[in-house]
Structure formats: structure tokens, C-alpha cells
């Protein structure tokens, strides 16, 4: 089963692809399964059990909110973030939830959503949904796993939301295969991805879809640069992007004397996106919500600071980034709960580095080298969100990932593409490192900064 660019880059809402987007998809799927089995009208009781990282940090990541929205039938890519408070307040005020907005069932969050520290069998982000009738008899029980990046897996290991079995002309499974196939076909990595995407859509549809992904990313940067106030949660973290945008916009003469001012802009773009994500705004998983700022920050850098940047470059950038991201998704993990933040910001850095090398005229070998550098120097990065919120260190960590991606691309472009450590080897190493990492450093908020920073 081949993944598409549009599987990897999903439009959704914050603050987390694994804790918000995935659970919303799973909850909606459970409600639809009840409808398909003609059991929806018989449901009189619900019980939702969250396990592992979802149980440990789900409250801070809005998993409970996502579950309620999904049960009502809302989908991450379609819901307007502005209606979320109204929907949730309606459930709380009425003491009931309307499954698929059709059947009212008694529902009180503290009674019907349970946060557990245990772990289900297949992944650290496990969910169990139980629907019962008026006599308490179980009508349906299903387990789902949110495996990172908004991907959801059933208890039988099958993905709920992924590409179908349509064959693609270049079904690569490793970076070595990707380079070999592209070389034999005389294609760039972006060109190979385009040929694969044409198995599902016309070339015009692919271009339009990819440019729409960028439009959503760009809109997120714009919103983040305008929004003020504080991020949700007990820390009352002040949003910084708007003030930084005003300051940078007002110092054009000063910035002309400081060539590194462009990095201030990259920092701004990434932080703007991740402040929006933390506030529950509309973002694109790239490859996750927690790492959603890196790819758009580097792409905006390309458009603003690289001569000759254009829409064709945007398409090539995102197709190349997707090709790299798919390697991590298929051969390792993009779940912070499974491998730490190296699987989120680290992968995003790798994707952005390779993509930037591509639009700067790099060869396929230089692109692979840039992607390898981007990950090699993120190996071992933990996921330790303070208070279980995607705020500290996540917002600044995206800024650092964007700057590191630019440097990785520049390092690769100074070489001829030959290098000692391959992308496949660093992907394998990342997965092994994640397996060796203690659970407390993998999105449980029980280690690292999460326990050493006092919440105010």
C-alpha cells in the first residue's frame, strides 16, 4: 500500500495530530461503524478509554474535546476551529452528545472519558470505544490507535485513513530505492512523486491540491503573525509571533545591515504556526501538528529569500518533502509517543532540508544528503511537553528545526552528494534510538522539562 502526499500532509486543527486529529478521526469512525451496523439509535451509553500517551497528556492536548467532536461526526479537515467552543459548551450544558448529530446520548466528560496510564497492545496511543444499550449490554466495542501524523490504525493493524491499493509506477521502500528509481527514470525526486500521485489524480489536480496545502500553511502563518493574547492552559503563555512580526516589519534599514535577519523571519514563521496549533487553529500536519511549523517556515524562507522562487518550486518543495516523510512513516515512526520528538521535529527538519535542497537546484544525491543531515543532528531528541501542552518547548523547537533545516540544505549543497551515513541508516538509527528511549521521555510529560519546569 503506497502513501500519497495527501496522506502525509493533512489539513486539520491543533494542538496535536496524534492526540487531537487521530482521536477525532477514530471517534467519528466508531460512530459511523455503529450507523453501518444499524445500532446508532440503540445506543444509550458510551465509555471511552484512553491509554498510554493519550492517557498521560490527552487532557492537555485536547483529546477529550477531539473525541466529542468526532462522535458528533466532525472531521478534522472540515471543521471550522471557531465553532469548536460552541459545540463543546453545548454538550456540557445539555449533558448529552448527539452521535453523528443524530442520536442524543447522555454524556458527561468526567464520567464517560477515562484517562488511563496503562498501554494497549499495538501502540502507546491507544483508544477503546464502548457503546451499550439501555440495559447496559455492549452493542459494540472497538480499539483504535493514533500512530502519529493523524494516521489511525484499527485493532487488526489496518489503517483507517490511508491510500488504497492502487499500484504506483515507483513503489519505493527505501531512500536507496528512491534514488535508484529516480536515476533510472531520469526524474527528480519531486518528478517521481508526481508520477506516483498521478495514479490517483490528474497532474492538474495534484498541483492544485499541493498548492492548496501551501495556501493553508501560509494562512496559518498569517493568522499566527496577527493573533495576540495568551495560549490556552494554566501556564498562560504569551503569544510572541505578533510582536515579533511588528518589530521585524519596522526595522528594514537595520535588517539590511544584518544578513542573519532572515533567520529571525524563519523563527517567526515557525513560531506563528505553532502558536496557532497550540491555540487549536487550522494547521497542516507536516508530518505532525507538533512539528507543523518547520516545513512552512522553510518554504516561506524559499519564497521570500531565494531568487527565482515560484509556484512550481512550491510544488516541487512539498512533493520532495512528502517523499522523504513517507520514508520515515513507513520505515520508522512519526509519533512522539513512540520515538520522542526526533520523530516529529526531527523528521520535519529532514523533510524541509531535503525539500529546500531540491528547489535550490540540488541533485537527488544532494537532496538525500540534506535530509540525512537534518535527522542526524536531531537524533535522541525527547518529547517532554511542559504541562502536557504543545507549547514549551514545542513552539521554539519548531523555530530551531527550521533554521537547522536551512543549514542542513546549505551543507549538502556545498558537497557533491557523496557522504558516509545514508538516509536509510539514519532512519534506522532514529527508530532504534526511540526504542531505547525511556517512556518518560516520549510524550508522557513524566520526564525532562516537563518535570523540571514549575508550572505557574
Amino acid at each position: 500500500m503506497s502513501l500519497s502526499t495527501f496522506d502525509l500532509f493533512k489539513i486539520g486543527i491543533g494542538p496535536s495530530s496524534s492526540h487531537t486529529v487521530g482521536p477525532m478521526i477514530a471517534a467519528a469512525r466508531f460512530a459511523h461503524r455503529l450507523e453501518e451496523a444499524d445500532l446508532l439509535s440503540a445506543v444509550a451509553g458510551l465509555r471511552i478509554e484512553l491509554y498510554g500517551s493519550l492517557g498521560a497528556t490527552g487532557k492537555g492536548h485536547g483529546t477529550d474535546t477531539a473525541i466529542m467532536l468526532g462522535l458528533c461526526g466532525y472531521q478534522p479537515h472540515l471543521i471550522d476551529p471557531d465553532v469548536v467552543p460552541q459545540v463543546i459548551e453545548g454538550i456540557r450544558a445539555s449533558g448529552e452528545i448527539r452521535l453523528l448529530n443524530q442520536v442524543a446520548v447522555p454524556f458527561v466528560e468526567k464520567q464517560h472519558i477515562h484517562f488511563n496510564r496503562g498501554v494497549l497492545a499495538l501502540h502507546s496511543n491507544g483508544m477503546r470505544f464502548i457503546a451499550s444499550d439501555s440495559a447496559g449490554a455492549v452493542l459494540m466495542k472497538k480499539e483504535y490507535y493514533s500512530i502519529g501524523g493523524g494516521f489511525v490504525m484499527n485493532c487488526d493493524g489496518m489503517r483507517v485513513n490511508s491510500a488504497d491499493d492502487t499500484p504506483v509506477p515507483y513503489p519505493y521502500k527505501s531512500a536507496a530505492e528512491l534514488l535508484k528509481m529516480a536515476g533510472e527514470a531520469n526524474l527528480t525526486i519531486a518528478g517521481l512523486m508526481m508520477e506516483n500521485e498521478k495514479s490517483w489524480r490528474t497532474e492538474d489536480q495534484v498541483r492544485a491540491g499541493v498548492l492548496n496545502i501551501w495556501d493553508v500553511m501560509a494562512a496559518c502563518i498569517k493568522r499566527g503573525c496577527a493573533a495576540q493574547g495568551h495560549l490556552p492552559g494554566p501556564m498562560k503563555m504569551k503569544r510572541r509571533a505578533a510582536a515579533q512580526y511588528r518589530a521585524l516589519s519596522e526595522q528594514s534599514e537595520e535588517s539590511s545591515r544584518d544578513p542573519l535577519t532572515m533567520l529571525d523571519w524563519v523563527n517567526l514563521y515557525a513560531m506563528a504556526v505553532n502558536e496557532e496549533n497550540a491555540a487549536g487553529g487550522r494547521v497542516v500536519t507536516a508530518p505532525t501538528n507538533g512539528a507543523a511549523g518547520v516545513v512552512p517556515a522553510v518554504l516561506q524562507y524559499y519564497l521570500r529569500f531565494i531568487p527565482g522562487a515560484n509556484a512550481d518550486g512550491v510544488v516541487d518543495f512539498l512533493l520532495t518533502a512528502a517523499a522523504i516523510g513517507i520514508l520515515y512513516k513507513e520505515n520508522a515512526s512519526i509519533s512522539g509517543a513512540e520515538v520522542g520528538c526526533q520523530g516529529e521535529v526531527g523528521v520535519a527538519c529532514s523533510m524541509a532540508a531535503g525539500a529546500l535542497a531540491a528547489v535550490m537546484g540540488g541533485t537527488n544525491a544532494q537532496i538525500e544528503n540534506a535530509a540525512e543531515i537534518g535527522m542526524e543532528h536531531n537524533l535522541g531528541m525527547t518529547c517532554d511537553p511542559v504541562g502536557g501542552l504543545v507549547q514549551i518547548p514545542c513552539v521554539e523547537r519548531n523555530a530551531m528545526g527550521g533554521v537547522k533545516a536551512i543549514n542542513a540544505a546549505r551543507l549538502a549543497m556545498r558537497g557533491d552528494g557523496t557522504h558516509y551515513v545514508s538516509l536509510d541508516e539514519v532512519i534506522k538509527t532514529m527508530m532504534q534510538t526511540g526504542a531505547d528511549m525511556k517512556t518518560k521521555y516520549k510524550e508522557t510529560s513524566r520526564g525532562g522539562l516537563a518535570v523540571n519546569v514549575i508550572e505557574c
Side-chain angles (χ1 to χ4, degrees):
M1 181 177 290
S2 298
L3 290 178
S4 163
T5 298
F6 303 101
D7 293 316
L8 197 73
F9 291 123
K10 297 182 183 69
I11 298 171
I13 61 172
S16 172
S17 49
S18 60
H19 288 57
T20 310
V21 176
M24 192 186 306
I25 291 169
R29 178 58 180 151
F30 180 70
H32 282 291
R33 287 291 298 270
L34 287 167
E35 183 181 46
E36 292 163 6
D38 200 25
L39 295 172
L40 199 65
S41 60
V43 177
L46 291 166
R47 181 181 174 89
I48 297 92
E49 300 172 350
L50 305 175
Y51 291 90
S53 178
L54 295 180
T57 62
K59 178 65 73 171
H61 286 69
T63 305
D64 44 1
T65 295
I67 293 288
M68 290 186 281
L69 293 171
L71 290 172
C72 291
Y74 290 100
Q75 296 286 348
H77 66 292
L78 296 175
I79 191 169
D80 180 353
D82 291 336
V83 310
V84 171
Q86 177 183 346
V87 174
I88 299 304
E89 284 307 313
I91 294 171
R92 290 169 177 165
S94 65
E96 62 182 24
I97 193 167
R98 297 186 65 84
L99 296 177
L100 300 182
N101 279 321
Q102 298 176 37
V103 177
V105 178
F107 195 88
V108 177
E109 294 163 73
K110 291 183 178 181
Q111 297 177 18
H112 296 95
I113 300 180
H114 300 266
F115 295 87
N116 301 295
R117 290 297 180 95
V119 179
L120 294 181
L122 300 182
H123 193 275
S124 53
N125 285 336
M127 296 164 276
R128 181 179 291 136
F129 294 82
I130 304 169
S132 56
D133 62 17
S134 57
V138 173
L139 296 170
M140 183 176 289
K141 178 169 69 174
K142 296 290 181 183
E143 291 179 2
Y144 297 94
Y145 297 86
S146 183
I147 58 177
F151 288 89
V152 177
M153 184 173 68
N154 291 329
C155 57
D156 58 5
M158 295 297 293
R159 290 181 184 142
V160 171
N161 52 332
S162 63
D164 56 29
D165 291 319
T166 302
V168 297
Y170 302 105
Y172 66 91
K173 297 297 181 184
S174 66
E177 287 184 3
L178 175 61
L179 292 176
K180 184 175 184 291
M181 289 180 179
E184 291 174 346
N186 196 29
L187 290 168
T188 63
I189 290 175
L192 181 147
M193 280 297 290
M194 176 62 82
E195 292 304 309
N196 280 353
E197 292 297 336
K198 285 160 61 177
S199 301
W200 296 289
R201 304 167 180 84
T202 67
E203 184 167 341
D204 286 345
Q205 289 172 331
V206 175
R207 281 183 57 85
V210 171
L211 289 173
N212 180 61
I213 288 170
W214 168 239
D215 286 343
V216 176
M217 289 177 170
C220 187
I221 292 174
K222 185 176 181 180
R223 288 195 313 272
C225 287
Q228 301 183 65
H230 295 82
L231 295 176
M235 293 185 293
K236 301 297 180 184
M237 183 175 166
K238 185 177 180 180
R239 297 180 70 140
R240 292 179 285 171
Q244 290 187 22
Y245 175 74
R246 289 194 301 271
L248 286 171
S249 299
E250 293 168 358
Q251 56 179 227
S252 56
E253 183 178 347
E254 177 187 339
S255 66
S256 67
R257 298 194 297 269
D258 181 1
L260 293 183
T261 297
M262 66 178 64
L263 298 185
D264 294 333
W265 284 99
V266 175
N267 289 332
L268 168 67
Y269 302 145
M271 291 175 67
V273 169
N274 280 85
E275 286 183 350
E276 274 297 293
N277 176 62
R282 183 171 299 284
V283 299
V284 177
T285 59
T288 68
N289 283 29
V294 178
V295 168
V298 178
L299 182 44
Q300 185 75 296
Y301 161 83
Y302 159 73
L303 287 169
R304 180 163 183 177
F305 295 106
I306 302 299
N310 55 33
D312 289 339
V314 172
V315 174
D316 286 347
F317 186 104
L318 289 174
L319 288 176
T320 304
I324 295 165
I326 287 169
L327 287 170
Y328 286 96
K329 182 71 189 74
E330 294 293 78
N331 296 303
S333 175
I334 57 173
S335 169
E338 188 172 17
V339 295
C341 199
Q342 58 174 355
E344 298 200 34
V345 168
V347 172
C349 179
S350 181
M351 292 165 60
L356 182 60
V359 295
M360 289 173 63
T363 64
N364 286 346
Q366 288 172 317
I367 293 167
E368 186 260 359
N369 188 13
E372 183 276 324
I373 294 170
M375 172 52 74
E376 184 177 340
H377 304 288
N378 280 297
L379 288 173
M381 182 160 45
T382 60
C383 183
D384 49 354
V386 177
L389 302 169
V390 192
Q391 298 177 16
I392 301 172
C394 315
V395 173
E396 287 182 357
R397 187 167 282 175
N398 274 259
M400 296 299 293
V403 171
K404 192 179 288 187
I406 293 170
N407 200 31
R410 294 180 68 86
L411 279 170
M413 293 295 288
R414 289 293 181 181
D416 62 4
T418 59
H419 54 110
Y420 197 80
V421 180
S422 72
L423 179 56
D424 287 326
E425 288 169 335
V426 86
I427 291 173
K428 180 179 180 181
T429 302
M430 186 270 277
M431 191 61 184
Q432 291 173 337
T433 303
D436 292 339
M437 192 180 293
K438 290 185 177 180
T439 300
K440 69 180 183 178
Y441 295 117
K442 294 190 282 190
E443 209 168 1
T444 60
S445 288
R446 296 201 291 267
L449 287 175
V451 298
N452 288 314
V453 175
I454 299 173
E455 296 175 47
C456 298

